[in-house]
Amino acid sequence: MSRAAVPGLPSRHPIGEQLPALYADDDFAQRFTAGLDTVLAPVFATLDNLTAYLDPRVTPTDFLAWLASWVGAADDPQWPVEQRREAVVRAVELHRWRGTRHGMVEALRLALGVHAEVTGDGGAVWSRTAGADLPPEPAAETLVRVWPGREQRVDPVRVREIVRAMCPVHTVCRVEVLPGPPADEGR
């Protein structure tokens, strides 16, 4: 991430023009400050465009990984730049959905471009009636089915890594990688 030594970048705030009148006609002072202008021009350009650096949609590509680290976004340098930008833009939203069906499906879609379906409740049951008998023990397994989306091939290892990261700690998540969308199975 280097913003220094941009050839030919003019300074928007030349120091020589801001010197007192005594130095305005001094050739040495003007050449000296012109050298400083060359060094400071990238700094001023960066500060003038700071809001663009903090917007993942337009930030320079070399700044994107650093920005991703600020919001805890997944950032894989092998992803296309637009996919990396979308991961940073949606990071806060995905953190909010972490551990839910929706969050798992969206994380898989964003990271791998696959379609996913999550079934099972992970062993969570409740009652709206105070003092009600405890319900029977639910199955504590969640099934995550994944099939190709924008990519023709699904990498099962990467799917399992993402599911492991997004699955709530009290549940067991089983992964099935399918060649296409699942049949309805009468649901």
Side-chain angles (χ1 to χ4, degrees):
M1 178 168 40
S2 176
R3 301 287 171 256
V6 178
L9 183 65
S11 176
R12 292 187 54 198
H13 312 284
I15 298 172
E17 293 178 6
Q18 299 174 25
L19 292 176
L22 174 67
Y23 299 107
D25 293 329
D26 185 345
D27 183 54
F28 174 75
Q30 291 300 317
R31 284 185 291 124
F32 181 76
T33 57
L36 293 175
D37 288 339
T38 302
V39 173
L40 292 175
V43 174
F44 289 137
T46 300
L47 291 174
D48 289 345
N49 295 297
L50 189 59
T51 56
Y53 278 85
L54 301 177
D55 184 348
R57 291 177 222 99
V58 295
T59 194
T61 307
D62 60 344
F63 196 76
L64 197 55
W66 196 33
L67 196 56
S69 72
W70 290 1
V71 293
D75 183 50
D76 187 341
Q78 296 177 352
W79 290 352
V81 174
E82 290 309 312
Q83 184 178 357
R84 293 175 64 204
R85 291 182 189 283
E86 185 180 355
V88 176
V89 167
R90 298 197 54 212
V92 173
E93 174 194 352
L94 287 177
H95 288 312
R96 184 177 57 224
W97 289 105
R98 190 177 188 99
T100 67
R101 291 178 186 180
H102 177 74
M104 182 134 9
V105 168
E106 285 301 306
L108 288 164
R109 185 196 64 72
L110 179 63
L112 303 177
V114 297
H115 297 291
E117 173 184 80
V118 180
T119 57
D121 57 17
V125 292
W126 62 91
S127 173
R128 291 180 185 207
T129 308
D133 292 335
L134 292 175
E137 279 291 315
E141 181 178 85
T142 300
L143 174 62
V144 181
R145 291 183 173 149
V146 178
W147 62 95
R150 72 174 175 257
E151 301 292 328
Q152 296 302 327
R153 188 181 157 287
V154 177
D155 182 356
V157 174
R158 292 196 62 206
V159 170
R160 285 185 182 85
E161 289 172 358
I162 292 169
V163 168
R164 191 174 311 124
M166 296 295 290
C167 190
V169 80
H170 72 283
T171 61
V172 175
C173 290
R174 187 167 53 96
V175 175
E176 286 182 5
V177 177
L178 307 173
D184 192 350
E185 297 181 14
R187 283 183 277 202

